[in-house]
Amino acid sequence: NAKEPLLEQYRERLRTELDRVVDFWLKYSHDKEHGGYFNCLGKDGKVYDELKYVWLQGRQVWMYSRLYRTMERFHRPEILEAAKSGAAFLQKFARVQASGGPGKCAFCLTRDGRTVKVQRTIFSECFYVMAMDELSRITQDKEMQVKLLVILFCPCSPQADAESMMDRLIFWVQTDSSDLGRPQLPGDPPINSMAVPMMLLCLVDQLTEGRTDVAEKYKDLSGWCVERILQHIQRDGKAILENVTLNGKELPGCQGRLQNPGHALEAGWFLLQYALKKGDVHLQKTAVDKFMEIPFHTGWDKQHGGLFYFLDVDGHCPTQLEWNMKLWWPHCEALIAYLMAYGHSREPVLLDRFKQIYNYTFTHFSDEEHGEWFGYLSRQGEVVLDFKGGPFKGFFHVPRCLYMCEKLLDSLLERQDS
């Protein structure tokens, strides 16, 4: 109860900040001529490049749809239309190969939808799945579905489209990745990169919400993802490494020693969320002790504050040039992780961690003048890149963090009142 006024203050700030972030993207990112969204927005919202990034388009569709579905104040016609516009652009232009199945999605498109670049990864497709599934949940009315199918130029519903693409993703990851176009070279054996099982676990959570038939279809995939994520606990349980071998052993060289504290923290709340649903007490503890506490203690810059972007587990200088920068998204994931962990256990130290990250985040990333957040700071906490949207920063990590933390605080405060 002593903490209740503080929690209420956090919720009010998060709520206000989410409103400002949503307003920023509604005002500046919509392409009314060609559909979809401008991703490259300057600090004041001005478009500085018209290229459109498919994974960011998908993230924005998902975020609009989720806000429309689950938060009453965002259940507004302009947000629904914004989600449908982005989905129309994706379904019309995202696929590089439109025939013979879902095909590969582009990474980058021109403003009018022509393919510029294709990445030999699965992440454009992953966010395509998230977008279409979440959109399908706000277009259940049959009349609206018919209208949507006409708009989207697609013979299948968004939900069917999402599941079709998901099945293709599973095939690429578990059976045959050759369609990704990445040759298997003799000196570069396949590895277990934590991003892949994390992303698939996220998609299973998305697709199966409230749908028992879909949950049955993907029931084995969640366990496979969790097992692959847990392989990243290395060095006798004292480190989370970003890349390991397919059988869970440490890799040699820089690739094997790489740590990404923000990514580990994100994996932590993915695992905790899954473990809470399953009632798996052991996994709940692992999620907090290994995937939150370890990366927080190793990743927090004790001199300047904030989370380092990359680290080397043996203390060598990482080869990534941005290794000691402070990026927006690791701090977003840390806020979600520690508030979720505190909400479950009520351990005061976890709330203290949240407060520490919160104070750094809101005094360094949030732009009071123009709205939204800066994404890229120096080690000392100064803004290095002042744009609000770019090829890797869109309408996703910031609003998802604010949305989830507001929801978590709602739940915490309701339990205190009861």
Side-chain angles (χ1 to χ4, degrees):
N1 290 334
K3 295 286 187 182
E4 185 174 347
L6 185 62
L7 295 181
E8 289 176 345
Q9 291 172 26
Y10 287 146
R11 182 173 63 175
E12 185 58 34
R13 175 66 191 273
L14 291 161
R15 180 186 178 96
T16 302
E17 194 78 4
L18 179 56
D19 290 346
R20 293 179 74 235
V21 168
V22 172
D23 289 346
F24 183 93
W25 289 90
L26 284 172
K27 182 176 181 179
Y28 297 117
S29 72
H30 294 186
D31 185 348
K32 295 179 174 59
E33 182 178 350
H34 293 284
Y37 318 114
F38 295 114
N39 300 127
C40 298
L41 305 179
K43 66 179 179 180
D44 57 357
K46 187 177 296 183
V47 177
Y48 65 85
D49 194 317
E50 294 181 346
L51 291 176
K52 294 174 178 175
Y53 295 86
V54 169
W55 68 329
L56 299 183
Q57 302 285 310
R59 286 171 162 185
Q60 194 157 345
V61 171
W62 179 84
M63 196 71 246
Y64 279 146
S65 301
R66 177 59 65 94
L67 290 171
Y68 181 87
R69 177 168 72 95
T70 63
M71 279 193 159
E72 185 177 354
R73 72 182 187 273
F74 295 116
H75 196 80
R76 310 197 308 251
E78 67 268 28
I79 291 179
L80 175 60
E81 292 307 311
K84 288 160 63 174
S85 170
F89 187 83
L90 278 174
Q91 284 200 310
K92 190 174 182 181
F93 298 117
R95 290 181 180 83
V96 178
Q97 304 164 3
S99 59
K104 191 82 181 73
C105 284
F107 175 71
C108 182
L109 305 168
T110 61
R111 180 182 177 184
D112 58 0
R114 290 170 291 134
T115 300
V116 174
K117 182 180 180 181
V118 178
Q119 280 193 334
R120 294 177 291 186
T121 65
I122 63 170
F123 301 110
S124 289
E125 292 78 10
C126 287
F127 289 105
Y128 186 100
V129 171
M130 283 183 66
M132 294 306 155
D133 184 81
E134 188 62 34
L135 180 71
S136 75
R137 297 171 185 275
I138 60 174
T139 55
Q140 293 298 327
D141 180 80
K142 290 185 178 180
E143 182 180 352
M144 186 181 290
Q145 277 281 24
V146 171
K147 290 179 181 178
L148 188 62
L149 296 184
V150 172
I151 293 170
L152 295 179
F153 307 97
C154 181
C156 61
S157 71
Q159 184 186 352
D161 195 15
E163 287 189 48
S164 177
M165 186 67 81
M166 180 65 170
D167 293 342
R168 177 63 59 178
L169 281 167
I170 296 169
F171 177 78
W172 287 337
V173 171
Q174 293 190 332
T175 305
D176 183 359
S177 64
S178 59
D179 285 349
L180 297 177
R182 187 170 59 240
Q184 191 59 60
L185 302 175
D188 184 29
I191 65 168
N192 172 6
S193 169
M194 193 160 63
V196 173
M198 279 179 62
M199 194 68 242
L200 289 184
L201 184 63
C202 178
L203 292 182
V204 173
D205 182 69
Q206 172 69 41
L207 289 164
T208 59
E209 181 193 340
R211 291 172 172 159
T212 55
D213 56 330
V214 182
E216 180 65 22
K217 178 179 179 180
Y218 297 121
K219 65 179 181 180
D220 296 330
L221 183 58
S222 294
W224 180 89
C225 292
V226 170
E227 180 184 346
R228 296 294 285 259
I229 294 170
L230 293 178
Q231 288 180 348
H232 292 264
I233 304 173
Q234 295 289 323
R235 302 289 178 99
D236 297 322
K238 297 177 182 177
I240 305 295
L241 301 182
E242 189 71 8
N243 305 296
V244 295
T245 68
L246 291 181
N247 61 352
K249 303 299 182 183
E250 187 171 332
L251 288 161
C254 296
Q255 182 185 39
R257 297 194 306 268
L258 184 66
Q259 295 177 294
N260 183 331
H263 212 208
L265 283 155
E266 185 179 20
W269 74 256
F270 281 16
L271 290 171
L272 180 58
Q273 184 173 251
Y274 173 83
L276 290 170
K277 289 179 180 178
K278 293 290 185 180
D280 188 332
V281 176
H282 177 72
L283 184 58
Q284 292 167 22
K285 180 174 173 55
T286 298
V288 176
D289 292 349
K290 303 300 183 183
F291 286 87
M292 296 182 197
E293 289 288 82
I294 289 174
F296 178 80
H297 284 294
T298 58
W300 190 262
D301 183 347
K302 295 174 179 60
Q303 182 177 354
H304 298 287
L307 290 164
F308 288 115
Y309 195 31
F310 291 113
L311 291 170
D312 182 295
V313 70
D314 286 337
H316 298 291
C317 180
T319 56
Q320 290 80 6
L321 300 182
E322 72 276 28
W323 74 269
N324 66 353
M325 290 178 66
K326 312 296 167 59
L327 271 64
W328 83 106
W329 71 262
H331 296 79
C332 290
E333 302 312 315
L335 288 170
I336 298 169
Y338 275 112
L339 193 56
M340 186 182 293
Y342 173 71
H344 166 60
S345 71
R346 300 299 184 91
E347 287 289 338
V349 67
L350 300 176
L351 184 59
D352 291 339
R353 300 263 195 273
F354 172 82
K355 181 179 178 181
Q356 182 177 341
I357 299 158
Y358 176 98
N359 289 339
Y360 181 89
T361 300
F362 280 90
T363 56
H364 288 81
F365 292 104
S366 180
D367 182 2
E368 293 292 334
E369 182 179 359
H370 297 291
E372 241 283 344
W373 290 14
F374 298 112
Y376 303 86
L377 312 179
S378 68
R379 180 181 178 185
Q380 292 74 23
E382 301 296 324
V383 175
V384 175
L385 308 176
D386 69 1
F387 56 76
K388 301 297 174 51
F392 301 94
K393 183 180 183 295
F395 184 65
F396 183 65
H397 283 287
V398 174
R400 183 177 71 167
C401 167
L402 298 170
Y403 157 80
M404 288 190 66
C405 288
E406 183 181 333
K407 286 281 193 181
L408 288 164
L409 285 166
D410 283 343
S411 178
L412 271 166
L413 290 166
E414 284 171 10
R415 279 184 278 164
Q416 284 190 351
D417 291 337
S418 61

